[in-house]
């Protein structure tokens, strides 16, 4: 079970040890772990006797001989969130009151602007009680941090080194992606590429091969020739690809053909319709179909994480997920479509509030902006100010702005790196380690915080600690 901590943080193997219980409840359910985290899955039978949601399962954690004993299987709980196994009508309603409780618990920590948005949304009625929590749900990340903290306590460690999440000591990451929905959108790509070039923002364009404008190799070459990335966007974008096993097998074989013909690596489904278990079977390097908090999406749910993560391969039983299986690069930001047509908003407020949350968690901010929806003057102006903001975050706050393929490459390299002792200190070994930084997870009165070695951010350390 240590593997999940070691894979996420890239801490030295064996430095902490966690174990799950011997006996589990028969049923999965929602439960609380720590003041801010709610989870879904099976629990230790003893701890589950106190079944009310207000009971904090963290009080059942024990430590003995340097080992931290958890009242659940950490990998199972994290998978329950990442693979959206918590989704089912009845279960989703039951957690409503808990999600609300969690929201009110963290409310004092939210910036005023964000709070106002939460309130306004609630008044409009779309923010119905449920899970994940709006606007950013980082339950998986918080859970992993909390367990690392408990495991360090069990070993009596004040600090532990790990390989920092992003290359060159970057404080967080931003990626821009464009899904091309129509012929008109395809025609607008030229202008969109010019806008991105003006601010030196790399981006990927997802093209539909099997319907609508039926993207050709020429379309692919035109975009790639300008230095932008291309990925496959569904097969026909008709909402059918994940509707049945048969439909999925047929469409994914077609997508596979395109991945090879176009020589691309990534995929995103139409309208983020998805089945995480099936995505893990696709022969692609990375997927971008799972939202972090999909409250405004056609298919609700979300993986509750601000970091990329590897799917398990079908034969994986050892929890040793690593480079080689499909990487999920989750959609963490509100889509332009939802911004304009659901929230009816033409300002940067929501995006700025989300960016602040995501980058404070040192996470990935991944945008979907459609060429189809930003052709109007008002929308173009808004997009240009977003690009300006991204460019400022890169220069002033040392945020890494990268295309999805670069993120995939980095995350795969990082998964292959190891921290090894060298004299009194540590060094990172493995391909790509010259871009890696050593970071420290340290215990404090308030919990866990991160410190990156030898990183000087231009504007103090606003985004370098959490
Ligand atoms: Zn689409």
């Amino acid at each position: 079970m240590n593997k999940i901590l070691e894979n996420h943080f890239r801490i030295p193997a064996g430095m902490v040890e966690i174990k799950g219980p011997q006996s589990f409840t028969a049923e999965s359910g929602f439960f609380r772990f720590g003041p801010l985290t709610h989870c879904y899955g099976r629990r230790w039978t003893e701890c589950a006797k106190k079944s009310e949601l207000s009971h904090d399962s963290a009080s059942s954690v024990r430590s003995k001989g340097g080992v931290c004993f958890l009242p659940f299987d950490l990998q199972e709980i994290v998978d329950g969130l990442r693979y959206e196994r918590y989704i089912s009508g009845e279960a989703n309603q039951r957690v409503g009151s808990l999600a609300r409780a969690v929201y009110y618990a963290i409310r004092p920590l939210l910036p005023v602007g964000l709070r106002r948005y939460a309130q306004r949304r609630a008044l409009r009625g779309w923010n119905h009680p449920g899970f994940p929590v709006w606007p950013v749900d980082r339950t998986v990340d918080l859970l992993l941090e909390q367990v690392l903290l408990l495991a360090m306590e069990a070993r009596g460690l004040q600090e532990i080194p790990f390989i920092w999440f992003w290359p060159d000591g970057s404080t967080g990451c931003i990626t821009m992606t464009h899904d091309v929905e129509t012929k008109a959108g395809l025609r607008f790509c030229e202008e969109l590429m010019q806008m991105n070039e003006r601010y030196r923002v790399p981006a990927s364009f997802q093209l539909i091969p099997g319907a609508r404008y039926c993207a050709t190799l020429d379309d692919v070459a035109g975009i790639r020739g300008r230095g932008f990335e291309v990925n496959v966007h569904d097969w026909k974008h008709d909402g059918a690809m994940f509707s049945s096993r048969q439909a999925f097998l047929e469409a994914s074989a077609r997508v596979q053909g395109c991945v090879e013909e176009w020589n691309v690596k990534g995929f995103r489904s139409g309208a983020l319709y998805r089945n995480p278990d099936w995505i893990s079977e696709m022969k692609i390097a990375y997927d971008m179909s799972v939202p972090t908090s999909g409250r405004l999406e056609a298919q609700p749910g979300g993986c509750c994480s601000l970091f990329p993560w590897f799917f398990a391969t079908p034969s994986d039983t050892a929890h040793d997920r690593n480079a080689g299986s499909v990487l999920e690069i989750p959609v963490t930001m509100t889509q332009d479509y939802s911004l304009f047509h659901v929230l009816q908003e033409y300002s940067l407020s929501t995006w700025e509030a989300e960016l602040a949350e995501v980058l404070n968690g040192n996470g990935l901010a991944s945008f979907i902006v459609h060429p189809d929806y930003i052709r109007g003057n008002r929308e173009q102006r808004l997009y240009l100010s977003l690009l300006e903001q991204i460019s400022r975050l890169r220069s002033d706050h040392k945020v890494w702005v990268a295309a999805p393929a670069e993120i995939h490459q980095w995350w795969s390299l990082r998964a292959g790196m190891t921290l090894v002792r060298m004299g009194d200190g540590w060094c990172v070994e493995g391909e790509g380690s010259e871009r890696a930084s050593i970071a420290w997870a340290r215990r404090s009165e308030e919990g866990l915080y991160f410190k990156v070695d030898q990183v000087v951010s231009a504007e103090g350390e606003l985004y370098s600690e959490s």
Side-chain angles (χ1 to χ4, degrees), residues 209-284:
R212 303 193 184 183
Y213 52 88
C214 295
T216 63
L217 264 179
D218 278 350
D219 298 325
V220 174
I223 292 170
R224 199 183 273 152
R226 294 278 290 268
F228 290 93
E229 178 182 323
V230 175
N231 294 301
V232 181
H233 190 27
D234 211 280
W235 165 239
K236 287 190 166 178
H237 208 302
D238 54 1
M241 182 160 169
F242 290 90
S243 62
S244 72
R245 183 70 184 160
Q246 192 53 35
F248 167 73
L249 291 173
E250 282 170 24
S252 64
R254 302 278 199 161
V255 166
Q256 181 59 32
C258 266
V259 164
E260 284 161 25
E261 192 193 338
W262 295 358
N263 190 23
V264 298
K265 291 182 177 153
F267 170 81
R268 176 176 287 140
S269 65
L272 307 187
Y273 286 119
R274 64 201 176 273
N275 177 325
D277 285 300
W278 296 352
I279 289 173
S280 72
E281 298 169 16
M282 292 176 75
K283 291 185 178 60
I284 49 174

Side-chain angles (χ1 to χ4, degrees), residues 106-142:
I106 62 168
R107 195 169 59 156
L109 306 174
L110 294 176
V112 176
L114 207 59
R115 227 155 54 204
R116 204 178 302 131
Y117 272 101
Q119 286 153 358
R120 206 184 303 162
R121 293 295 92 78
L123 286 174
R124 281 190 198 166
W126 70 261
N127 191 22
H128 59 87
F131 190 75
V133 174
W134 182 86
V136 172
D137 193 312
R138 49 187 304 251
T139 303
V140 169
D141 314 338
L142 292 172

Side-chain angles (χ1 to χ4, degrees), residues 295-334:
R295 294 300 294 273
L296 301 178
E297 306 300 335
Q299 180 178 328
C303 65
C304 309
S305 176
L306 297 175
F307 290 94
W309 47 274
F310 286 104
F311 283 97
T313 54
S315 59
D316 182 3
T317 50
H319 290 171
D320 196 9
R321 291 145 208 226
N322 242 318
S325 58
V326 178
L327 180 74
E328 180 58 41
I329 301 178
V331 178
T332 60
M333 307 294 288
T334 296

Side-chain angles (χ1 to χ4, degrees), residues 137-450:
D137 193 312
R138 49 187 304 251
T139 303
V140 169
D141 314 338
L142 292 172
L143 175 63
L144 292 172
E145 284 178 20
Q146 205 176 343
V147 171
L148 179 61
L149 179 69
L150 290 165
M152 287 165 65
E153 275 169 13
R155 273 280 153 96
L157 297 172
Q158 279 305 321
E159 58 178 23
I160 190 168
F162 67 104
I163 302 173
W164 184 240
F165 300 112
W166 306 109
D168 312 313
S170 302
T171 55
C173 179
I174 297 177
T175 191
M176 176 58 67
T177 72
H178 304 296
D179 296 354
V180 184
E181 307 289 285
T182 63
K183 220 175 226 172
L186 189 63
R187 276 196 298 271
F188 191 69
C189 285
E190 174 64 33
E191 261 174 86
L192 187 49
M193 286 190 282
Q194 281 173 18
M195 290 191 239
N196 290 338
E197 279 164 354
R198 201 187 312 166
Y199 290 92
R200 291 189 305 110
V201 169
S204 73
F205 289 76
Q206 284 63 243
L207 303 182
I208 306 167
R212 303 193 184 183
Y213 52 88
C214 295
T216 63
L217 264 179
D218 278 350
D219 298 325
V220 174
I223 292 170
R224 199 183 273 152
R226 294 278 290 268
F228 290 93
E229 178 182 323
V230 175
N231 294 301
V232 181
H233 190 27
D234 211 280
W235 165 239
K236 287 190 166 178
H237 208 302
D238 54 1
M241 182 160 169
F242 290 90
S243 62
S244 72
R245 183 70 184 160
Q246 192 53 35
F248 167 73
L249 291 173
E250 282 170 24
S252 64
R254 302 278 199 161
V255 166
Q256 181 59 32
C258 266
V259 164
E260 284 161 25
E261 192 193 338
W262 295 358
N263 190 23
V264 298
K265 291 182 177 153
F267 170 81
R268 176 176 287 140
S269 65
L272 307 187
Y273 286 119
R274 64 201 176 273
N275 177 325
D277 285 300
W278 296 352
I279 289 173
S280 72
E281 298 169 16
M282 292 176 75
K283 291 185 178 60
I284 49 174
Y286 49 93
D287 172 75
M288 303 184 286
S289 311
V290 183
T292 287
S293 178
R295 294 300 294 273
L296 301 178
E297 306 300 335
Q299 180 178 328
C303 65
C304 309
S305 176
L306 297 175
F307 290 94
W309 47 274
F310 286 104
F311 283 97
T313 54
S315 59
D316 182 3
T317 50
H319 290 171
D320 196 9
R321 291 145 208 226
N322 242 318
S325 58
V326 178
L327 180 74
E328 180 58 41
I329 301 178
V331 178
T332 60
M333 307 294 288
T334 296
Q335 292 196 46
D336 60 345
Y337 179 87
S338 307
L339 198 68
F340 304 150
H341 302 293
V342 181
L343 308 181
Q344 295 182 326
E345 208 175 273
Y346 289 87
S347 78
L348 282 188
S349 313
T350 293
W351 278 339
E352 280 179 341
E354 287 177 328
L355 271 170
E357 280 265 297
V358 170
L359 296 177
N360 267 318
N362 302 110
L364 163 74
S366 61
F367 287 91
I368 304 180
V369 172
H370 299 78
D372 315 79
Y373 307 143
I374 57 153
R375 287 179 296 142
N377 286 337
R378 183 162 63 152
E379 290 82 357
Q380 282 189 44
R381 273 200 304 277
L382 185 68
Y383 182 61
L384 287 171
S385 38
L386 175 64
L387 289 175
E388 200 184 331
Q389 170 80 338
I390 291 173
S391 161
R392 203 176 312 128
L393 284 166
R394 172 173 50 201
S395 57
D396 296 355
H397 293 290
K398 213 166 186 284
V399 174
W400 187 40
V401 183
E406 295 175 89
I407 295 173
H408 169 259
Q409 188 194 25
W410 166 256
W411 214 257
S412 304
L413 286 172
R414 179 176 176 268
M417 295 177 199
T418 44
L419 263 180
V420 290
R421 273 212 183 271
M422 209 175 65
D424 290 342
W426 294 87
C427 75
V428 184
E429 280 189 353
E431 193 189 343
S433 59
E434 65 282 357
R435 295 189 71 190
S437 307
I438 296 171
W440 295 88
R442 291 194 175 128
R443 283 163 60 193
S444 75
E445 301 247 312
E446 291 82 43
L448 199 68
Y449 74 96
F450 301 143

